[in-house]
């Protein structure tokens, strides 16, 4: 059974884009919509990112090139 925020994100975002409410989401998920003006930030004092992203992997010595590249991509994406 699918559950959790990741499966609720699409209808939540669709409702906000349709002007039907507000939501607290990770900026990463709505960055494009904020940039083009389809969404606006409200209550900026409450905008603290509280959802950490974790990546579990073997030590750096055992890490494959593909895993290292993926982790570097995710870090760059979340810090942009």
């Amino acid at each position: 059974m699918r559950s959790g925020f990741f499966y609720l994100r699409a209808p939540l975002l669709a409702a906000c884009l349709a002007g039907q409410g507000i939501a607290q989401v990770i900026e990463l998920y709505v960055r494009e919509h904020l940039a083009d003006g389809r969404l606006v930030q409200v209550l900026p004092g409450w905008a603290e990112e509280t959802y950490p992203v974790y990546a579990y992997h073997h030590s750096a010595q055992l890490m494959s090139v593909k895993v290292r590249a993926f982790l570097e991509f995710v870090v760059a994406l979340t810090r942009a």
Side-chain angles (χ1 to χ4, degrees):
M1 180 174 151
R2 292 181 176 183
S3 63
F5 179 74
F6 293 105
Y7 297 103
L8 297 175
R9 184 178 63 204
L12 179 66
L13 180 57
C16 290
L17 288 169
Q20 297 177 350
I22 64 172
Q24 182 179 14
V25 296
I26 299 172
E27 185 266 340
L28 174 66
Y29 298 139
V30 294
R31 186 178 292 155
E32 179 181 321
H33 302 298
L34 291 168
D36 65 18
R38 287 184 285 170
L39 293 177
V40 296
Q41 183 180 18
V42 296
L43 303 173
W46 290 77
E48 217 172 287
E49 300 274 325
T50 59
Y51 306 97
V53 176
Y54 296 98
Y56 294 97
H57 56 84
H58 291 288
S59 71
Q61 296 168 321
L62 302 174
M63 192 180 309
S64 73
V65 172
K66 291 179 182 180
V67 170
R68 184 175 309 279
F70 175 74
L71 292 175
E72 289 173 359
F73 168 76
V74 171
V75 167
L77 183 65
T78 58
R79 292 188 179 163

